[in-house]
Amino acid sequence: MKKVLLICSLIVLGTTLSFGQAKKPTLMVVPSDAWCIKNGYVMEFDNDGTTTKIPDYKKAMQENTDILLVISSINDMMAERGFPLKNLESAMKTLASNAAEDNMRSSKESGASVNESPIDALKKVAKADIIIQLTWTVNTTGPKKSITFILQGLDAYTDKQIAGANGTGAPSFSAEVPVLLKEAVTAHIDNFSASLQSHFDDMFANGREVIIRIQTWDSWDGDLESEDYGDDELGILIEDWMAENTVKGRFSTTDMTESMALFEQVRIPLFDERGRAQDARRFASGLRKWLKADPRLIESKLVMKGLGRATLILGEK
Amino acid sequence: MKTIINKVSILTLCFLAFSLVSNAQINKKKKANKDTENWRYEIECVGIGKPGTKVVRVWSYSKKATIAQTQSKKNAVHGLIFQGYAAGGQGCTAQKPLSNNPAVEQEKEDFFKDFFAEGGKYMKFVSMSGDNVPTVVKVGKEYKVGVVVVVMTDNLRKDLEAAGVVRGLSSGF
């Protein structure tokens, strides 16, 4: 009897341990748009008559050794804290080599090439769940130099700043810019990681904050104001589902029309009812199943964007 | 006979002197610990050290300047765990405490009792700054002593994370 109990306990413990890890967000350090524009690392294109500048990370990494030093120092210090970051330069190289491989690949039997929709092509950019945006300026007062350093941790889906550290270092007559930059990283990384830690603590206590969008295919004959799916409008029924399935019923309905709905600050549990780690896609999948069930019988397509954003398009797959 | 008595007397005197000195040392340590138990100190940054360390000046209070000085290391480690410090000159940025839970000292009382015991584990994470001359200020009936120390914050944080006292960035993932 004791042996049976022991085995059962071990199985329960094993199951808990294997499902007890939340989905880990990826972090990547990138130079800010302001820094890229100031230093000329930009690509310009004409957007319907308006000149638009977007940062050229590849050029910045190839031509500026200071940016390499700063990113490398931050990566080192975060790895030291048990949280290794995605490396921007390596991510860009992998994208390029994957694209080359996809272009060359063909099926052995029919010679078919790999499927890529326009959306797939658009999504092929270096990305992370949390972007650490980096800006610095060298201040010169006579012979003295100092560095103003800004680190911002931005959630890629909610656009919120979730961590930050900034300040100006001590002026120096003799120190070179790389030395001042290294000092700035050393001085700011503790505060940055402390504010990131507060964000993670909040996430574990109140759930992951995500964005859920509802859209409709134009081929669908229903809409979100329809009362054919229950005792109230479909939009209200979806809101009720959100209230029942979010942590402490926390979410905001930012927009609601007959053809779309936008839910922001949606706090989803880190684990589903089976104890598995959950992200926005898995959470929205619950809503998709609820919409598909009797008496609603609404088919929908689920589209994800990283851990924190999911879109349901109602009407068909 | 007289020589034996003399020898015994000298030995007794030596023994008494030794006991008195030891008792004085023990009393001094007890007094120091008593002064530290109140955690009365101020902490400020004096510059940027090498990565993973913080260079701070700790102002400790006691009726005897030497006692305040001996408690500086303990106060510095305590300060970095529970208080942090404000921004200042020499490129110092404000530093948040390693623990963001203000109640952790009470919740993990047993751990911190051993950690901050005389000769406790805190000693591994702090050292006196090389060219350090303590600054002594008389405040009323007691002394306020400022000592510059170096705290190995990265190692300290790792130790606290391993002991489950503070959460690490990757814990839970």
Side-chain angles (χ1 to χ4, degrees), chain B residues 14-26:
Chain B
C14 286
F15 179 72
L16 276 172
F18 179 73
S19 306
L20 283 171
V21 170
S22 316
N23 276 337
Q25 289 291 333
I26 291 166

Side-chain angles (χ1 to χ4, degrees), chain A residues 113-124:
Chain A
S113 56
V114 178
N115 243 338
E116 185 178 76
S117 69
I119 290 286
D120 295 343
L122 195 67
K123 285 187 169 218
K124 276 168 47 175

Side-chain angles (χ1 to χ4, degrees), chain A residues 21-22 80 187 190-191 201 204, chain B residues 54 93-94 158 167 172-173:
Chain A
Q21 306 273 294
E80 179 75 11
D190 277 332
N191 281 348
D201 288 346
F204 282 109
Chain B
K54 299 277 177 262
T93 50
K158 275 184 199 161
R167 283 172 62 88
F173 292 117

Side-chain angles (χ1 to χ4, degrees), chain A residues 76-125:
Chain A
D76 275 353
M77 289 187 180
M78 291 300 281
E80 179 75 11
R81 282 160 177 75
F83 208 98
L85 309 182
K86 243 179 158 179
N87 187 28
L88 173 63
E89 196 180 15
S90 313
M92 286 190 307
K93 279 182 186 164
T94 306
L95 277 173
S97 76
N98 282 354
E101 278 178 30
D102 287 350
N103 287 338
M104 299 294 286
R105 185 164 288 130
S106 60
S107 157
K108 213 160 49 174
E109 289 173 8
S110 67
S113 56
V114 178
N115 243 338
E116 185 178 76
S117 69
I119 290 286
D120 295 343
L122 195 67
K123 285 187 169 218
K124 276 168 47 175
V125 289

Side-chain angles (χ1 to χ4, degrees), chain A residues 121-286:
Chain A
L122 195 67
K123 285 187 169 218
K124 276 168 47 175
V125 289
K127 55 181 178 269
D129 301 314
I130 295 169
I131 299 290
I132 303 175
Q133 190 170 272
L134 172 71
T135 314
W136 77 87
T137 48
V138 181
N139 314 308
T140 311
T141 317
K144 286 194 286 186
K145 271 185 284 188
S146 67
I147 293 262
T148 299
F149 195 76
I150 306 169
L151 265 181
Q152 293 168 293
L154 307 166
D155 187 303
Y157 318 114
T158 61
D159 302 326
K160 285 188 177 174
Q161 178 167 327
I162 54 171
N166 59 69
T168 301
S172 168
F173 283 102
S174 53
E176 297 296 325
V177 171
V179 178
L180 293 173
L181 277 171
K182 186 95 182 167
E183 262 188 19
V185 176
T186 306
H188 290 96
I189 199 75
D190 277 332
N191 281 348
F192 181 79
S193 86
S195 50
L196 197 59
Q197 181 69 57
S198 302
H199 169 71
F200 290 154
D201 288 346
D202 173 67
M203 194 171 90
F204 282 109
N206 300 310
R208 191 189 294 278
E209 189 175 320
V210 302
I211 289 181
I212 305 287
R213 288 169 75 205
I214 308 280
Q215 290 178 300
T216 51
W217 293 113
D218 61 5
S219 57
W220 188 41
D221 56 1
D223 66 52
L224 293 171
E225 287 175 355
S226 165
E227 295 191 15
D228 298 342
Y229 303 101
D231 53 5
D232 212 328
E233 289 184 4
L234 180 60
I236 301 292
L237 295 178
I238 292 174
E239 269 189 331
D240 290 345
W241 185 92
M242 296 289 266
E244 279 165 24
N245 289 278
T246 46
V247 177
K248 298 172 192 166
R250 288 184 185 177
F251 70 97
S252 307
T253 310
T254 311
D255 260 322
M256 175 77 78
T257 67
E258 76 271 18
S259 57
M260 61 82 88
L262 178 63
F263 299 104
E264 290 186 315
Q265 303 189 91
V266 181
R267 291 291 193 146
I268 64 166
L270 288 177
F271 304 98
D272 65 11
E273 66 280 358
R274 284 191 283 174
R276 292 191 303 193
Q278 185 169 240
D279 55 9
R281 177 174 164 270
R282 202 162 262 284
F283 177 79
S285 173

Side-chain angles (χ1 to χ4, degrees), chain B residues 133-155:
Chain B
V133 180
T135 314
V136 182
V137 183
K138 184 103 167 82
V139 183
K141 287 181 180 175
E142 59 184 359
Y143 290 96
K144 179 183 176 184
V145 180
V147 180
V148 177
V149 296
V150 179
V151 183
M152 283 70 119
T153 39
D154 271 12
N155 290 344

